[in-house]
Amino acid sequence: MQNQTGSGNGNAFAGAAAAAEDAGTVMWNPAGMTYLPKGHNIAMGGTILHRSIKFSNNGSTTVDSTTFPLGTTDGGDAGGTSLIPFGYWAYSVSDKLWLGMGISPTFGNVSEYDFSFIGRNAGFYANIEQINFNPSVAYKVNDMISLGGGVNVAYNATHFKQGLAFASGPAIAGNNQLDLEGDDWAFGYNLGLMLQVTPTTRIGLSYRSELEFNLQGDQRTTVTGFGSPLLANVEIEAVLKTPANASLALSQKVGDRLEVLADFTWTNWSVINSIQIKNKVTGGNLSALSYNFQDTWRIGLGGNYQLNETWKLKFGVAYDKSPVKSAADRTMTLPDSDRTWLSIGARYQLSKAASIDMGYTHIFFANADTARVVEFPAGAPRQVIRGDFKTSVDSLGMQLNYNF
């Protein structure tokens, strides 16, 4: 999730690993702390994110409408509005050594359709919440080279719901569902390098490692009368990985007022193939959530224009590839597609020590289709959910910066 700072929102987060304009650099490139004013630097704020996800059915089918009924509606808007808070601190221990701390939600997703949704048996609710604690250190080797690194301590809570593709025996067609929930802590690291190539040209390189969560929690179901271990209220476990990413970024000063920002970022989404749910007691396989993601790249271009001593104007665009390979891999609760970002923003200097950032972004998603097969049990296709998604995102970020 890109929305880790308010200052970057006005640039579509272009060149974030080279910008180093406030304590938010702890997230993007810890080596950037060496470019901040001496003393304590604090950046805190939040982003209001509104997402719209609308599905249009286009020929979904079932092998038997009586035994394996589909839902009856397009499910309403599965998006919603969320507040994404963040906070960062950086401190100059000496002219060369810096310490920092970041707290931010590095991954997240909330999607919820009405239970009448025609594709409910492929999933109608997902809530993934992840918060990351990132103690960091940076060292200025010389006027050209700065190094940085950090430890990531992350907590993940994941919650999925899907309908059950049958309506016979003790099952009740109106509320058949499987409810899966688990959480865990994981540990990783991030590294950063800053190169001041010339007085006006800076290159940033950053890497953030993969995290592996061994989720533990519960499976709950409305259907327990069949005697099947797949349909039982049991304790469960599953392995969830969040991907590594690497970014190459540029900050280029053009004259006294303009700064051009650019980046190329790679994300190792292919670590998420499927999430296998297991019975925690017996180790036996229960259900599996298939994603089949591919690695992706993102390219961003933006700029800052120093209008006067008080106002800095910001703008940016970005193109972000989707990890979803095909219509068959596109899920109901994460119907991702290629994205184009358009962003504007500004920084207002309240005083010598304090400033405030404001940024607005609209994300255009390419129209995307799905042909998602519903199996129950695994290997027994019951339904194919066919349709189209129209998705968009608007985000408004604000951030207060203070140096003392």
Side-chain angles (χ1 to χ4, degrees):
M1 187 164 59
Q2 290 291 125
N3 301 89
Q4 305 297 307
T5 61
S7 55
N9 200 26
N11 302 121
F13 299 96
E21 63 175 339
D22 52 59
T25 191
V26 169
M27 169 66 195
W28 304 115
N29 186 341
M33 288 190 286
T34 63
Y35 288 83
L36 301 179
K38 296 297 188 292
H40 296 271
N41 290 269
I42 295 173
M44 62 178 64
T47 298
I48 298 172
L49 186 146
H50 178 76
R51 185 172 61 152
S52 176
I53 304 172
K54 294 182 178 180
F55 176 82
S56 296
N57 182 47
N58 188 19
S60 299
T61 58
T62 176
V63 297
D64 187 322
S65 60
T66 301
T67 308
F68 307 107
L70 294 162
T72 56
T73 73
D74 286 340
D77 192 334
T81 302
S82 302
L83 174 62
I84 305 170
F86 49 78
Y88 302 95
W89 165 78
Y91 172 66
S92 56
V93 178
S94 67
D95 289 341
K96 289 184 173 292
L97 181 64
W98 288 73
L99 299 177
M101 181 68 184
I103 303 175
S104 62
T106 44
F107 286 90
N109 176 67
V110 180
S111 304
E112 184 172 14
Y113 299 90
D114 300 334
F115 188 73
S116 59
F117 176 42
I118 195 167
R120 67 189 179 204
N121 299 327
F124 68 90
Y125 174 84
N127 187 357
I128 301 172
E129 298 178 351
Q130 184 169 312
I131 185 168
N132 189 62
F133 301 88
N134 192 184
S136 304
V137 62
Y139 185 76
K140 184 176 182 179
V141 179
N142 52 44
D143 288 342
M144 181 180 179
I145 301 171
S146 294
L147 304 174
V151 175
N152 294 277
V153 181
Y155 172 77
N156 181 287
T158 296
H159 190 183
F160 292 116
K161 296 180 184 179
Q162 68 180 64
L164 292 170
F166 63 92
S168 60
I172 302 170
N175 66 0
N176 290 350
Q177 62 179 277
L178 201 61
D179 188 318
L180 307 169
E181 194 168 8
D183 63 352
D184 190 31
W185 291 83
F187 301 89
Y189 64 92
N190 61 302
L191 303 171
L193 168 68
M194 282 288 199
L195 296 175
Q196 193 69 45
V197 182
T198 72
T200 58
T201 304
R202 182 164 67 240
I203 295 173
L205 181 63
S206 66
Y207 175 81
R208 187 170 292 271
S209 73
E210 170 189 312
L211 296 175
E212 182 173 314
F213 298 90
N214 295 300
L215 301 176
Q216 298 190 30
D218 297 289
Q219 171 181 284
R220 296 179 295 274
T221 176
T222 58
V223 183
T224 58
F226 285 96
S228 168
L230 302 179
L231 297 173
N233 295 320
V234 295
E235 293 184 335
I236 58 172
E237 59 186 7
V239 174
L240 171 66
K241 297 180 180 180
T242 56
N245 66 75
S247 185
L248 176 64
L250 170 71
S251 165
Q252 177 65 54
K253 296 289 183 64
V254 181
D256 295 332
R257 295 179 179 268
L258 179 64
E259 178 187 18
V260 177
L261 299 165
D263 76 280
F264 180 88
T265 300
W266 164 86
T267 304
N268 184 209
W269 281 111
S270 61
V271 299
I272 303 179
N273 184 16
S274 67
I275 302 173
Q276 179 64 60
I277 313 299
K278 294 178 176 288
N279 185 308
K280 184 180 176 182
V281 176
T282 67
N285 289 341
L286 298 174
S287 55
L289 307 171
S290 175
Y291 292 95
N292 195 31
F293 279 172
Q294 62 185 349
D295 292 349
T296 64
W297 54 268
R298 176 191 188 274
I299 188 167
L301 179 65
N304 297 322
Y305 184 77
Q306 193 70 49
L307 185 64
N308 51 45
E309 291 184 358
T310 304
W311 286 98
K312 179 192 288 187
L313 306 181
K314 301 186 173 192
F315 52 91
V317 297
Y319 182 73
D320 203 351
K321 288 289 290 180
S322 169
V324 179
K325 289 183 180 179
S326 68
D329 297 314
R330 184 164 286 110
T331 67
M332 305 299 109
T333 53
L334 193 61
D336 199 28
S337 60
D338 295 347
R339 303 175 291 283
T340 301
W341 297 54
L342 291 179
S343 304
I344 57 172
R347 169 170 287 188
Y348 180 71
Q349 199 70 37
L350 297 167
S351 67
K352 184 178 179 180
S355 63
I356 188 168
D357 282 285
M358 299 155 283
Y360 168 76
T361 294
H362 181 80
I363 306 177
F364 300 86
F365 285 71
N367 289 344
D369 60 348
T370 187
R372 189 72 171 174
V373 176
V374 177
E375 298 180 351
F376 192 84
R382 305 298 190 186
Q383 299 172 342
V384 180
I385 309 304
R386 294 186 177 90
D388 303 293
F389 292 98
K390 289 187 177 180
T391 304
S392 66
V393 167
D394 292 280
S395 68
L396 178 64
M398 297 193 71
Q399 176 179 306
L400 175 66
N401 310 293
Y402 191 70
N403 168 247
F404 61 97

